[in-house]
Amino acid sequence: METETGQETTVQKTGTTTVGLVTADGVVLAADRRTSLGGQFVSNKQSIKIEQVHPTAAVTLSGSVGAGQAFIRQLRSTANLYEARRGEPMDMDALAQTAGRLLRGTRSMPVLGGVDGDGPRAFQIDPAGGVLEDTYTASGSGMQLATGALERLYEEDLTLSEGVSVAAEAVESAMERDTASGNGITVARITPEDVMIDSYTDSTEVA
Amino acid sequence: MRGQDDRQAYDRGTSLFSPDGRLYQVEYAREAVKRGGASVGVRASDGVVLAAERRVRSPLLEARSIEKLHKIDEHNGVASAGHVADARQLVEEARQTAQVEQLSYDQPITPEQLTTEVSEHVQEFTQAGHTRPFGAALLVGGYVEGTPQLFETDPSGTSYEWQATAIGGNSDEIENTLESEYDPEISIADASGLAASVLTDEEENDPETVAVAVIDEAGYRTLEREEIDDLL
């Protein structure tokens, strides 16, 4: 993440690298742990940029930290209300549509990953409300570096643990050269049963 | 209020309970539903049929202008009974609710959720001041993601799910017929025949006196006069 300085207000921004990819058994999201001020100063070295928003879905945070956190709270409460009222969780199309609607006009660019009746799904959501489904995707200042790694490493029908290695390596590649990304990796493993989010100091620790 | 008949004292407003716990205005609204023609819903294995009785009071009246079957969206329809104008307000509410669902969640609304939301709207009019309850009941039928469903909502704002049912005048007798004739495995074609036949006079079998809509895989569609003639 990154904070913009030299303006009237100082906004923490995710200069971040986050990735999401679909495997045969579930979805993997991964992100680095650095938050910075304008890409100049590392303001936090232990940020967790992936949050669960639904029984079987999570999003990554990138862009403005405040906008991202507000977005996550709203998306989570919408998903909770939907399930309480209807007795079944939202499917990923409904969750992605809601995410796109909530994100319009903000400065956040998350990756949404989750599992529903149609299997594992991943979406790139943009600040204008665009919703694009993909099998692998990245966002943040390190997205070109991470996408390059994903192009080389991603294959269809990876197992979940293979997917975790690919995602961690993609984030690691970006952390090597993007000054706004670094300080370790957070990985979310999303299966039809649940969401598990773990953090590591570097990619070699990621099992 | 002392010395007056209980009914006269407690049927003035909808927000006033009688001492024995009744809301007379809501009960009167249910009676209003019974005064009109009947509407019928039958859930088949592959869709839902809605049918409505048309009471053509003059040979000069164009029968097709008696509108009791309403398309809500591609996947849902409503058959109404009772005050037509009240029913139209609820139909408008249902149509907007269906579009909001599509806009919010990018998915078609289920008949169950549609009925829940319309019922919440109906209930508000039994509790708020300066309002009267809706003098109409609705049958909500739909076919969403391979599942046919049929629901009813009444003037109290209570909803029920049915395999087959009737609302409006003579509905008790029609329900009896449906109970003996209904089969859960019924096809959409047989369900259309059943719905049309319980609403028409056996001797006359006039297709002008009944309207039929089917909702299935292909969406909502009303039957032409010739098709109803074939059913009878």
Side-chain angles (χ1 to χ4, degrees):
Chain A
M1 306 189 205
E2 194 177 295
T3 311
E4 284 180 357
T5 50
Q7 298 175 1
E8 281 189 25
T9 53
T10 301
V11 180
Q12 290 215 335
K13 274 185 70 184
T14 45
T16 290
T17 304
T18 84
V19 302
L21 57 87
V22 171
T23 74
D25 323 312
V27 180
V28 179
L29 300 179
D32 74 302
R33 300 191 62 189
R34 176 171 296 177
T35 298
S36 59
L37 291 158
Q40 302 291 311
F41 173 69
V42 178
S43 57
N44 192 303
K45 300 196 288 182
Q46 48 191 355
S47 324
I48 306 289
K49 301 180 193 172
I50 305 178
E51 293 213 40
Q52 184 172 2
V53 292
H54 172 284
T56 59
V59 295
T60 68
L61 241 152
S62 85
S64 150
V65 176
Q69 289 176 337
F71 159 73
I72 283 169
R73 285 192 290 269
Q74 288 179 53
L75 187 59
R76 188 183 288 141
S77 66
T78 304
N80 288 343
L81 266 176
Y82 184 103
E83 187 169 350
R85 284 175 177 153
R86 305 180 186 217
E88 56 185 11
M90 285 174 111
D91 68 24
M92 288 307 120
D93 294 297
L95 195 65
Q97 180 86 354
T98 305
R101 182 166 50 83
L102 293 175
L103 219 58
R104 263 182 80 84
T106 70
R107 303 183 64 187
S108 183
M109 189 149 167
V111 175
L112 166 67
V115 182
D116 65 9
D118 292 332
R121 325 267 302 269
F123 300 85
Q124 173 82 257
I125 324 278
D126 75 49
V131 176
L132 292 172
E133 183 166 8
D134 213 334
T135 49
Y136 60 96
T137 186
S139 82
S141 58
M143 68 186 285
Q144 282 96 337
L145 297 162
T147 305
L150 287 173
E151 294 293 359
R152 185 166 46 83
L153 299 171
Y154 182 80
E155 289 169 31
E156 277 183 28
D157 295 325
L158 294 170
T159 65
L160 193 68
S161 65
E162 287 168 345
V164 168
S165 303
V166 168
E169 203 163 319
V171 173
E172 182 76 33
S173 301
M175 281 163 43
E176 290 286 336
R177 294 281 174 162
D178 177 39
T179 53
S181 302
N183 300 107
I185 297 180
T186 303
V187 174
R189 295 168 174 84
I190 307 165
T191 63
E193 285 79 43
D194 60 5
V195 176
M196 289 205 321
I197 299 174
D198 299 290
S199 287
Y200 308 90
T201 50
D202 67 64
S203 68
T204 57
E205 274 188 28
V206 181
Chain B
M1 289 182 193
R2 191 187 298 159
Q4 288 183 0
D5 175 52
D6 268 357
R7 262 184 176 241
Q8 283 195 5
Y10 295 102
D11 69 358
R12 299 289 174 207
T14 51
S15 54
L16 213 56
F17 276 111
S18 75
D20 55 347
R22 298 165 68 178
L23 290 168
Y24 284 117
Q25 285 297 325
V26 172
E27 293 184 19
Y28 298 164
R30 284 208 188 95
E31 290 306 313
V33 173
K34 296 242 172 203
R35 288 177 66 86
S39 286
V40 167
V42 179
R43 189 183 79 196
S45 56
D46 51 352
V48 175
V49 177
L50 298 173
E53 181 185 352
R54 282 174 169 155
R55 288 185 181 167
V56 186
R57 63 180 185 274
S58 157
L60 298 178
L61 181 70
E62 294 284 4
R64 65 183 171 81
S65 72
I66 308 171
E67 203 192 334
K68 293 166 74 181
L69 299 179
H70 314 265
K71 179 179 177 177
I72 301 302
D73 63 7
E74 258 329 287
H75 318 276
N76 292 286
V78 155
S80 59
H83 282 274
V84 175
D86 284 20
R88 284 209 60 86
Q89 287 296 321
L90 294 179
V91 165
E92 177 58 25
E93 179 74 18
R95 284 174 177 158
Q96 291 198 22
T97 301
Q99 292 309 311
V100 166
E101 178 86 0
Q102 194 70 48
L103 204 57
S104 302
Y105 304 127
D106 193 23
Q107 65 190 16
I109 195 165
T110 61
E112 181 169 12
Q113 187 63 20
L114 187 59
T115 309
T116 300
E117 296 197 31
V118 172
S119 297
E120 282 170 9
H121 182 73
V122 170
Q123 191 279 336
E124 284 174 30
F125 286 75
T126 70
Q127 206 169 19
H130 302 103
T131 62
R132 64 170 174 79
F134 285 93
L138 304 183
L139 295 178
V140 180
Y143 187 84
V144 175
E145 282 167 3
T147 307
Q149 285 184 314
L150 174 66
F151 285 84
E152 173 198 356
T153 182
D154 81 354
S156 72
T158 311
S159 60
Y160 307 90
E161 185 173 9
W162 294 93
Q163 295 174 299
T165 192
I167 53 175
N170 205 26
S171 57
D172 293 342
E173 201 177 303
I174 297 171
E175 273 181 28
N176 284 337
T177 315
L178 289 172
E179 277 173 27
S180 58
E181 305 277 322
Y182 182 75
D183 171 3
E185 303 299 317
I186 194 168
S187 69
I188 195 101
D190 291 344
S192 307
L194 175 61
S197 68
V198 295
L199 286 177
T200 46
D201 195 301
E202 272 182 32
E203 272 94 67
E204 292 177 16
N205 271 349
D206 181 359
E208 278 293 300
T209 63
V210 61
V212 181
V214 298
I215 308 123
D216 60 12
E217 187 76 60
Y220 176 98
R221 154 181 111 84
T222 50
L223 299 192
E224 302 296 330
R225 190 200 147 112
E226 298 75 45
E227 292 176 278
I228 296 170
D229 216 358
D230 291 343
L231 292 176
L232 299 169

